[in-house]
Structures are given as C-alpha cells and as structure tokens.
Amino acid sequence: MAAILDSVLSQRIDPNKVVEWLKTVQERDSLPFTDRGITVQKHEFVSFLLNFLREQSSPALAHHGTPAKTPNRPRPAAQTGGFSDRRASRSARSGTASRSSSRVQLFSPSSSASPGAECDAAGQSGCLSGVSNFSSPSFSTSWSPASRPPGSERRHSQRVCLGDFMASPPDTQPSPFQSQKSRKKSMAVGAQWRGGRGNQHTDEMGFGDTGTKRPGREGGGHGKSREQLSPPSGGSLNFNNLEDFPPVGSSPISPLTSKPSRRINPTPVSAERPRSKPKTCFTSTPFTKPSSPQMGAEVLEGSMRVGSPLSLQEERELLKREKSKRAQQAASPCLSSLEPCTPPKTGGLGGAKVTPELQPLCPERSKVAYAPELDLLAELYCACISENLVPNIFLELFFVMQLLTSLSPDSNDAEVQDSFSAINSDVLERCYLKQVHNCVYFAVAVLENQFELVAHLDKGTLRLLAENERVASFSPTLRDLLVQAQDKSSAELSPSVSTFIHSVPFQPDTDNRSNFGNDRAFHTFKKQRDVFYEVLREWEDFHNEPGWSFEASLGGRIRGMMNQLTSAGIHSHFARLFLKQLVQMCKGPQMTGSPGEPPDADLLGMLGADSLGRLKRLEERLIQPHGIVGPCPPPSFPGHQEFFRDFIQTSSCCQLNQHLQDSLCQQLLQLDEVSILSPSASIKEEDEDRDMEQQDEKQRFSSVLLLARLLAKFLGFISFLPYQTSERPSREIQDTSAALRSKSAPVLDVCAVLNDSVRRRRTILTVPWVVEFLSMMDFVGPLLPCYRTALGTLLLLYRRMQLKRSADVCFLNNLLLVSVLGWLFHIPAIPEDFFFTAEFRAAVTVEDGNPGLAGLVRRSHIFFSLFFCSCSFISLKCFAGLF
Amino acid sequence: MRLSRAEYKDIVRSTEQLRPTRQCMKMLKDRFPNHSQSTLLSIFSLEYQKRTKRTISRHHAADVIEGHYQREVLPKKHDRKYLNEAKARPTAPVLLEMANEVDLSPALMARLVLDRFLQDMKGEMLSKPVLNSMLKDPSLIPDQVLAKNIYQCTINDCCYGPLVDCIKHAIGEEHEVLLRDKLKERNLSFLDENKLRTMGYDKTPDIILEVPIAVEGHIVHWIESKASFGDDHSHRTYLNEQFWSYWNRFGPGLVIYWYGFIGELDCQRDRGILLKDCFPTDIVTLCHATHQQSPESTEGGQ
C-alpha cells in the first residue's frame, strides 16, 4: 500500500488508475502491482493513506512543537516504500515500540486512555488494547480510536485554540510565533482524536523537526521549571502560560496570571526574536503545579524555559500582543474581505519586519509547496471518502477542518529549505502537510471536492466556514459556494422544545380497578404512580444542582417503590407507565445537553453577535462540560433520558427490567412494520395539498424514526446492562463470556430484522434504530455471533452506500445512514479493528443487484431537521471549536 | 380574591385574639372592609383550626375534661345552689360561657362534655355515630338542660360543629354546581366527579374536561373547586394529596379557590397547576383558536 502511494506520488503510476480502483465496487478489492509483485488490499491502502495523512499533519496539529528528536529515537534512514521496512523502522522509532505500532499506528490504540493518564497511556498503548490481540496482527490497531477523545482533554484543547484564535490573527511577528506554538500544541491535543497516544506519537516522529534543540528533559520537576532563562530556541513553549495552556478543568484563569505587570518600554522589537517568552512568565503568582497529568509532560518540556532575565522581553511581547489585539479589534471587520484581494507576497517576510504588527498569521497560497502532490493526495483521499472506505466520513471532515484551522510554525527559511531539500529523499518522507500553507491548501481542496457533503452541514458550520479567511483566500470560489449553501441551508438546529413535562394520562381501559387482581394491587399502584412523579419532579428540580446525587436522593424511594410493586405483583403496570412517560418526555428531538438549557439556539445566536464578543461567549460555552462534542461522541442519554437510565440503574429490579424488555421489543417490532408511504405520482391534487401531505408524511416518518431510536437505545441499555464493565475485559474473559452467552437467545434477533429490512428496502427506518440498539453493547457483545453478523451486515451496507451515487432525493437518506453507521463504528464497545477487517465480507451476503439497498429510492424521508435530530453529534458543536 | 402574602399576614394577625363568634366576625369585617366576608371568615376559620390543633390536647386531658364536666354537671346534680341557679335561669348559656372562658371552640366543648355525660349515663364509651347524631340533633340527649346548652354551643360556633360542617358542605356543593353551570354556559364538555368514579378512576378531580382548554395561556385538563381560602398549609396539603395526583394522571389543570388564595402560591403555573379565585374569563378553546387564527393569518398575509 505504501508502494501505491509511493508510485502515485512519484508519478510512476497513473493516479486515475488508483482512483478507479478505489471506486470499483467489484470484488476485486486488491490492486495487483505487477512491477513490484505486491498485491494490495483496498482497505489496507485506505488505512495506510489515512494514517499517512495523520502522520503528515501531525506537526501542524501537534503540540509538541519541540523541534528535536529524542536522541534515542533516531530518525530512520530514508525508507523505501516497502511496507515491512517502514513498519520495522517505525516500531524501532517509537521507543515504546509495541505490537501496535505498525504503519497504521496513527490510528492506533488506547481510546480507553483516560484523559489524565494520557502520557502513560500513550506509552503503553501497545499493550493497552486488548483489541489488538484480538485482531489480525497487521491491523491490530488500525483505526482511529480518536473518536472518543477523553472529554476533558478535548475541552482543554478547544479552549486553548479558541482563545488563541481570538488573539492570534493580528499578532505581531514574534508573538504569532508564540501563539502558533501554543496553538500548534493545542491543535495536537485536539488532534488526538486519533488516539490517546498523542505524546508518544509526536515524540517519536518529531517530524520534519529541524534538529534544533530538544527542550531539556533534564529540567525536571514541575515546580522549578518556571522562570528559567530561555535559550532562544525556536518553538519552545511556555507551559506556565496559563492562558495558552489553561489547566484542565480549572476554573477561569486567575486575573493575576492573566494580567501581569507591564512596563511600557518602546524598545524596537525585531522579528528576529520570535520565540518569545509568553507573557505570563512574569507574574506575581508563582505557578504552583500543573493542573493535570497531561500538563506534567508539558511542563517538563518547558523546563528549559528560564525566567527573569527575559522578563523585560516578555513584557514587550505582552505589550505588542496587547496592541495588536486592539489593532485587530479595529481592523477585524475588513480583514477577511481584504485578504483575497491582496494576497501577500512571497517576500512578505521583509515587510513583516518593518511592520510586524500588521502581519497577520496567514497561510498563503503562494507558499504552498508540493501542490501537485497535495492535489493527488486530496484526490485519493476524497475517493476514499466518497466510496465510504473511511470508517466515518464526518470524522474525516473533522480532520479536514482541523487542517484548515491548523497553526504550524510559520516556515522560517531554514525550515523551508529543509523540507524542500527532502525532495530528494523518499517521496513518502517529504513533509507534505507540515506547513500551514499546505494544510490549508489540502483542506480546501478536499472541501471543494466534497462540497456536496459539506453543503449538508448545518447553517452555523457553513457560516463559520464561509467566514473563514483561509477558505476565502485559498478558494474564493469555495467561499462563494459556501455562502450560497448557507443561504439555502435549512439545516437550522431547532432548539429543543419546551421543558414542560407531560404526564401519562390515566386510561380507564388499562388503569382502572378491573385491570388489577385485587384492591390492594390497585391502591398500591395508585400510590406508586404518585411516588414516581414525585421522584421525577424532584429530579427535574435538583439534578443540575452541584453535589446532587441520584442514588443518594432518590435511591431509597425508588427501591421502596420496587418492593411495593413486587409485593403487589404489578410490575407490568409500572413498566407501561414508565415507558409511556419515557416516550412522552424523550421522543422529541433531543439535542445533547440538559433539558434546562436550550442548547443550540444559544450557540447559533452567538454567531450573529460581534466577532469578539461572540468568540468570548463561544469560548465560555466550550469550556463548559459537555460544551463540545466531537463528531463521534460516545453514546449518551441526553436530557430527560438520563432520568430513565438512572432510574433503571438505581432500581436494579430484574422483574421491572424484564417487563420493560418485553414491552420495548414488542413496540419496536411494531414500529418497524409501520408503513412508509412513497407518495407516488398518482397524487394529482393541487400542489398545496400534496405539499401538506408530504409534510404530514415526513412528520409521521420522523416521529416513528425518532421513537424507534429511543426505544431501541433503552432496549439495548437494559439488555446489555448485566454485562457492562467499565473496562474491556481480558481476551480470555471475553472469550469465555462470549462462549457462555452465545448459548442463550438474544433479546432481539437483530440479524433477521436487518435482513428483512434490506430485503424490503426499509433500511432507512431500521438501520438507525438498530444502530442505537447496538451502540449500547458491552465489550463482549460484538463477539457474539448474532451481533457480529449484524455488524457485518451493517458494515457491508455502509460500504455500498456511496453518497456520490445517490440520487438527489436519496442523498439525505444515505447521509443519515452513513453518519449513524460511521458513528457506530467508533463506539468504544466495537473492536477497533472492526472496520478494516475483511472477514465479514464472506459472512454476509446481501443480494446484489439490489440497487435500492439503501432503502427507499424514490424519495427522501429524511429532511434536514430530522437529520440533525438524529445525528446531533454532527453539528456546529463539533466543528465550532476549531474555528 | 388574590391576596399578597403581606395582606394575608395582616389579616391573620388580627384574627389571633378572636373567638369564633358572630361578634368577632363582625369586628373582622369592619376592620377589613375591602375584603369579602367569606374570604375573611375562611381565613379566620383556617387560622382558628390551626390554633385549636395547637391547643386541643390540653383540653383532651382526662382531668381537664373531668373539671369541665364537674363544673357543668355535678352542680346540677349535687349542688343545690347551682341547680337552683340553673333552674332559675334555665336558658343561661352555661356551657357556652365556659367555652369562652377557657378559649375552646363551643362546639368542641359541647362534644367533650356530652361525651363525658354519656359515659356517666351508660357507664361505657359510646360509639361515635351516636355521639355525632346527638350533636346534630340535641333533642336526642336525655338531659334537657344539657341538650339546650349543647344546642347553644353549636349555633354559636362559626368554625366547628355539625352546623358549620353542613354549611361548608353546602357551600362546596354550591360552588361545584356553579362551576358546572359556567362550563355548560361556555359549551365545554366535561366529566364530573361522580361520572369519573363510576368509570373507575382512582383519583377524581371535580371536573375533567373532555377537550382541554387554555386559560391564560396554560393548558387545562381538569378543574378542582375549593370553596375556601388557599393558604400555605391547606394548599400544601391539597397539592400532595390531590393536585399533583391529578396532574400525574390528567396533566395540567386548574384549581379555583373561590374565597381567594395567597398570590405567591400560584407558582406552579409552568409546571401545570394554575390557581384562580373565580371562573376564568380568558379561556381559549380549540375552536376558538382556529376562529381567531384565520383572521390573523390573513391580516398577516396582507
């Protein structure tokens, strides 16, 4: 696979041929390379390409800007394209080696690394994933666990980059560097969606680092690393700068640190001193300790920083930054509009020295190197996306947006030289995506190519993109398209509806005395109904209060209820009430977030406000817990669903659970049978009527779909509840458990449901809810034959559902399926190698020659709002943090 | 009448020293001429009940009862002087005066003494129904003087006793009828409590609307009529025992406290319990809404 890329990039093979190969649906999944005698599997190539891009861009996205390699990880001699060579060298390079560091290592392990343990986890990543044992060696760690970034880490990164963004554009020449550095760092943290192994990885590949110096690891202890004198090393970071590196989870930056003392000293500042000290080195509050383990490493890195002698410079830096901030505030409105018209000259560096403060940190099209190669890469990459060869198209989109917003060190000449000099070496070793110019170029190329997909993003994201200066300066055409798409987009995120609870009405048919065995049961249920609502109301009132605990406050009462129910034998009545109430409260579109806050309206509203204020508020939002979600958040129970989940957990009543399961199964299968009308051409009434009818039908379909997803999630939750473990059990335990569990019938025959749905072309309804059900699986679940087969079927569906081939009306249908499936493939419970393993292809036979595989051909049942309701993870929230 | 908590407290303060007598009611009414007599009486009644609850235990103590009883009965039997006096003034409200003297509700005093009297006569505790029937109809009491005293107590008590119970019940009924009439007047179809019971409902508000309405922008499925003043204590009790239970079964609803309530208690509107002191005027029905909307929308179009 490396050979292919190698050949394409060095133009020994016609790229079109490869693209064609990627596009063929035929069984011929492998591409023979006669000239080298290598045969390459398509999925192997894809995972190689994806990892290659990640690797390539890691410096731009990396936070370890330290321009040096660890001595004990010598850069390997130039590689030939051979797979095994490279692989070996990679593993050698990564000191921690591990089975898992194959070429695909960028996608590799340790999604399970907890945020705090990141450094460690990174080191251990190889052994950490029980997954890797389980899979074929060469792909043991093949794809991105990234999807599940540990929450705080992500927040951390988002916060940082947003803050930087606010300050960065008009920064002076020297300070941009600083902010680039920090930004770079933050991006890397953000970029660790590909896995918790960020540190290891960036260390090990210290990519394109110009061999300057590595910040002294010997600096040691956190405490003393503060005020040390900085050697004028390029790109060293100051980790003491709380603004650039806010402590994870800490409360807002203390005013003391963010407002250091300043002295106005009009010493001319030369651009020669770019690696300036960050402003907060010189503060009255000593930096006491890194607030997170993650920062520990950073502080180490920063230990070469030295203090006081430089503090004057720092102050000057500070002053400059302050000034430039003001300049930006004044100038910002016109900035973006000006740029496209006045592309900066290549020789702009000299100018920058003269007027450093007006030099925005701006990727320039003219500085793009390797443009043809980047085009090729983009083409291949887009082919993979278009052909659903990537596990999750939105994850790729997210990556592209990261590239678009990346901040790599502005190429100083030496580095440019260095990277250009690499031309002679292996084409795969060149630094295609190291420079921010290249990243943006590549990102814009991909966005252009995938415009159809991009255009279906929500309005807020489109707006962010359209207003992005980089997009505008690299491709005014794309900008214009985005603006148009934004106007057309109906994909507003509707704020979730009222928070008013509605109760389940008393129905004499099912609830009066005649439905109970005796008076006592009747009266017990009368009381339990009231207790249930009392508990619900109390939860509503208090669950957001700090320190409130469901178990502590309601546990006793709930278990008391269960005892009453058990002694009266009326679980079925309560189960009905419980489910009806669940549906009542949660069937509507639920955005993630608690019911109290109308989540997205707020976020969207901010986009209208003045730029600085809105960024401020955006930032505030983003640092709130759950304020930001990536494109692949783990399954969750937003809003009121949380109550029902906690209730089930707390009551831990097996009778109730059984009744709930029975009822959920029945309702789901009924819903799955609901007729989906295809409005045929037979309707000849006036347009208005037809419109109305279509609207009604869409409404009906949407409510069925949302309801089925809700029920399926809870069915999955209850069914897999007994097997949930917080960590992936060892391989042996998994096997034993799988063997044991495969003997008893699963609660729902998912395979049958799926196959039936495929046959009847109803996947648009069935797949989304099946995905919800499966997303609740425990770690062993995917190993059970029934679910394994179901996953295989879904994977096959996914691969066949290329958006580009969808008729217009079906685009959203397919987009929905592709996104929910892509999301499912990133659920923690799903083995990480799942997507790139080929074993399913034989296992599942879906009738070919069934072009309507993706469901209903003739019309779209999915409309924007439904799409965003169903995939609330793909929204402004997941992208906004990047801008 | 919707009172602010401050107004309400003001009234409560003036009732603290009052006895449950007509004279006292008159005083209260003169003091607050702007408030309706019913509201004042209801507030007083609730307050007086609270006061009684606080103090009743000391009247229930056996020796205290004995004391009352001795004073009332023994003189008649054994003290010739008192008997003579009683005979001389056979209509004198001895028991009523005693009740006022010890600050106990006359009706309750009557009940205590009658109970004690019957114990003496029959030598054993009598069943409550017999006692209640004698209180309702004093002619059943063997001792004529006592019967007269009891009667005086009953009719001079505006807070306790069979007469007051009867009045309260009648007022409650009356307001329910009033409510039904109003609903019929507005052409709103509903199920009343009796109908609901026969259908097997486990909790029954006075009215369930077959088609919900909106009152002041809030949806209303059921209506409960309370011919009393809504103060903190009674409202809390009603919420726990009735209103939330209704909400749990029928959704949001409306409570009418015909004699007013403390305005601050009307804080559950958004949660689905609306308080009013009269039949609402701002009612929107489904047909209303469609009627009103169409002209609006055409206007908007123009």
Side-chain angles (χ1 to χ4, degrees), chain A residues 159 242-243 247 250-260 280 285:
Chain A
R159 171 182 183 170
L242 286 181
E243 202 164 272
S250 72
S251 43
I253 304 153
S254 102
L256 271 173
T257 47
S258 60
K259 299 215 165 165
T280 50
T285 23

Side-chain angles (χ1 to χ4, degrees), chain A residues 161-222:
Chain A
C161 49
L162 203 70
D164 284 347
F165 181 63
M166 289 166 63
S168 56
D171 266 350
T172 59
Q173 178 71 7
S175 44
F177 206 91
Q178 167 55 33
S179 86
Q180 274 168 17
K181 277 303 176 182
S182 49
R183 173 69 175 275
K184 179 172 160 188
K185 175 171 187 73
S186 63
M187 287 313 298
V189 179
Q192 281 173 27
W193 51 306
R194 38 173 148 38
R197 56 187 297 284
N199 289 352
Q200 172 199 8
H201 146 227
T202 38
D203 271 1
E204 109 201 3
M205 53 181 52
F207 244 97
D209 302 323
T210 45
T212 40
K213 47 233 89 182
R214 175 171 191 78
R217 290 238 162 192
E218 65 282 1
H222 305 154

Side-chain angles (χ1 to χ4, degrees), chain A residues 500-501 503-506 508 512-513 522 526 529-530 533 537 540-541, chain B residues 199-203 244-245 247-252 269-272:
Chain A
F500 190 79
I501 314 181
S503 59
V504 173
F506 180 96
N512 73 11
R513 168 68 185 83
F522 180 57
K526 175 169 89 177
R529 180 197 292 264
D530 287 333
Y533 283 108
R537 277 191 293 265
E540 266 240 305
D541 287 344
Chain B
M199 289 167 75
Y201 281 81
D202 58 356
K203 289 270 188 175
W244 283 127
S245 292
W247 185 96
N248 297 342
R249 287 157 180 78
F250 316 112
R269 288 186 162 217
D270 293 332
R271 271 252 163 116

Side-chain angles (χ1 to χ4, degrees), chain B residues 22-199:
Chain B
R22 272 183 218 93
Q23 296 75 14
C24 288
M25 289 310 98
K26 178 121 188 2
M27 280 166 56
L28 196 61
K29 196 183 155 197
D30 293 343
R31 172 116 195 242
F32 298 98
N34 295 328
H35 294 114
S36 85
Q37 191 176 350
S38 316
T39 302
L40 294 172
L41 179 58
S42 185
I43 293 177
F44 172 75
S45 177
L46 290 166
E47 286 309 302
Y48 190 72
Q49 285 171 27
K50 283 180 217 162
R51 201 200 302 174
T52 303
K53 269 182 201 140
R54 281 197 305 271
T55 57
I56 191 72
S57 56
R58 75 167 175 253
H59 297 288
H60 266 295
D63 55 330
V64 178
I65 295 176
E66 204 56 32
H68 295 330
Y69 183 64
Q70 299 290 330
R71 280 187 58 186
E72 165 59 17
V73 181
L74 288 183
K76 280 185 278 180
K77 281 190 174 172
H78 307 292
D79 187 81
R80 305 308 302 175
K81 196 178 170 192
Y82 177 82
L83 188 62
N84 289 340
E85 197 178 342
K87 276 183 178 165
R89 309 192 291 136
T91 51
V94 181
L95 203 54
L96 185 62
E97 282 165 9
M98 257 170 60
N100 287 333
E101 204 176 296
V102 300
D103 193 20
L104 180 64
S105 143
L108 292 180
M109 175 63 96
R111 172 181 279 268
L112 288 178
V113 168
L114 178 61
D115 192 27
R116 180 68 187 78
F117 171 79
L118 292 174
Q119 273 178 46
D120 243 20
M121 274 200 29
K122 310 272 163 95
E124 60 188 60
M125 289 285 271
L126 277 166
S127 64
K128 265 212 165 131
V130 175
L131 182 68
N132 285 336
S133 61
M134 284 183 174
L135 285 171
K136 271 183 202 159
D137 179 4
S139 66
L140 299 175
I141 299 172
D143 183 319
Q144 266 207 2
V145 178
L146 183 60
K148 209 173 280 171
N149 269 296
I150 298 243
Y151 184 62
Q152 281 163 345
C153 284
T154 302
I155 59 172
N156 280 301
D157 192 325
C158 64
C159 287
Y160 284 97
L163 183 60
V164 173
D165 289 347
C166 191
I167 293 171
K168 279 186 181 168
H169 182 74
I171 293 177
E173 287 280 321
E174 184 185 341
H175 282 94
E176 283 178 37
V177 172
L178 192 68
L179 175 59
R180 285 198 286 268
D181 287 348
K182 296 262 189 191
L183 290 168
K184 283 177 194 153
E185 217 171 87
R186 302 288 307 246
N187 262 333
L188 301 171
S189 88
F190 59 88
L191 301 170
D192 68 15
E193 208 172 349
N194 300 325
K195 179 90 173 108
L196 293 175
R197 270 206 204 96
T198 59
M199 289 167 75

Side-chain angles (χ1 to χ4, degrees), chain A residues 43-60:
Chain A
H43 61 270
E44 288 178 338
F45 173 73
V46 173
S47 70
F48 174 77
L49 176 66
L50 297 186
N51 282 303
F52 178 77
L53 293 174
R54 257 74 162 178
E55 262 181 43
Q56 280 281 323
S57 58
S58 63

Side-chain angles (χ1 to χ4, degrees), chain A residues 119-186:
Chain A
C119 309
D120 286 344
Q124 304 162 353
S125 55
C127 31
L128 181 149
S129 53
V131 205
S132 48
N133 305 343
F134 147 77
S135 51
S136 70
S138 60
F139 284 96
S140 54
T141 55
S142 42
W143 56 278
S144 156
S147 33
R148 295 95 61 170
S152 61
E153 173 191 334
R154 172 166 294 283
R155 284 201 296 280
H156 171 60
S157 70
Q158 297 298 3
R159 171 182 183 170
V160 173
C161 49
L162 203 70
D164 284 347
F165 181 63
M166 289 166 63
S168 56
D171 266 350
T172 59
Q173 178 71 7
S175 44
F177 206 91
Q178 167 55 33
S179 86
Q180 274 168 17
K181 277 303 176 182
S182 49
R183 173 69 175 275
K184 179 172 160 188
K185 175 171 187 73
S186 63

Side-chain angles (χ1 to χ4, degrees), chain A residues 242-280:
Chain A
L242 286 181
E243 202 164 272
D244 286 341
F245 301 102
V248 173
S250 72
S251 43
I253 304 153
S254 102
L256 271 173
T257 47
S258 60
K259 299 215 165 165
S261 65
R262 295 183 236 156
R263 249 179 41 193
I264 298 178
N265 184 349
T267 317
V269 181
S270 100
E272 249 43 65
R273 211 188 319 131
R275 284 87 212 250
S276 57
K277 298 282 295 184
K279 54 185 172 186
T280 50

Side-chain angles (χ1 to χ4, degrees), chain A residues 271-455:
Chain A
E272 249 43 65
R273 211 188 319 131
R275 284 87 212 250
S276 57
K277 298 282 295 184
K279 54 185 172 186
T280 50
C281 266
F282 187 70
T283 61
S284 43
T285 23
F287 183 85
T288 48
K289 59 169 183 184
S291 328
S292 79
Q294 184 183 338
M295 285 191 63
E298 299 165 358
V299 170
L300 266 177
E301 302 278 332
S303 57
M304 41 116 55
R305 275 266 144 241
V306 251
S308 38
L310 273 193
S311 52
L312 279 186
Q313 284 177 16
E314 287 163 24
E315 286 180 294
R316 286 173 205 142
E317 289 305 333
L318 184 73
L319 193 61
K320 276 190 298 178
R321 289 178 67 167
E322 212 47 47
K323 270 169 94 179
S324 63
K325 258 185 217 168
R326 279 174 206 166
Q328 179 199 12
Q329 275 168 12
S332 58
C334 47
L335 249 172
S336 57
S337 55
L338 279 178
E339 266 165 32
C341 328
T342 59
K345 281 170 286 186
T346 334
L349 233 132
K353 284 178 189 172
V354 180
T355 55
E357 302 181 0
L358 294 179
Q359 175 73 25
L361 172 74
C362 175
E364 293 166 41
R365 179 148 193 170
S366 53
K367 287 189 181 169
V368 173
Y370 303 120
E373 285 85 351
L374 287 174
D375 286 336
L376 279 178
L377 284 173
E379 195 182 350
L380 290 177
Y381 183 58
C382 289
C384 292
I385 294 178
S386 302
E387 298 302 312
N388 287 3
L389 294 170
V390 298
N392 183 334
I393 54 174
F394 285 97
L395 198 59
E396 299 310 315
L397 213 50
F398 191 74
F399 171 63
V400 170
M401 303 247 192
Q402 280 185 312
L403 287 179
L404 179 67
T405 54
S406 66
L407 280 178
S408 68
D410 198 5
S411 50
N412 70 32
D413 297 283
E415 283 180 73
V416 173
Q417 276 317 92
D418 184 65
S419 47
F420 275 105
S421 70
I423 287 177
N424 297 328
S425 67
D426 181 3
V427 284
L428 292 183
E429 293 291 317
R430 290 179 197 155
C431 302
Y432 297 107
L433 292 175
K434 188 189 168 204
Q435 301 302 322
V436 65
H437 319 287
N438 285 15
C439 289
V440 174
Y441 180 83
F442 177 81
V444 168
V446 174
L447 289 178
E448 275 181 327
N449 185 302
Q450 293 293 318
F451 185 74
E452 194 178 6
L453 177 60
V454 174

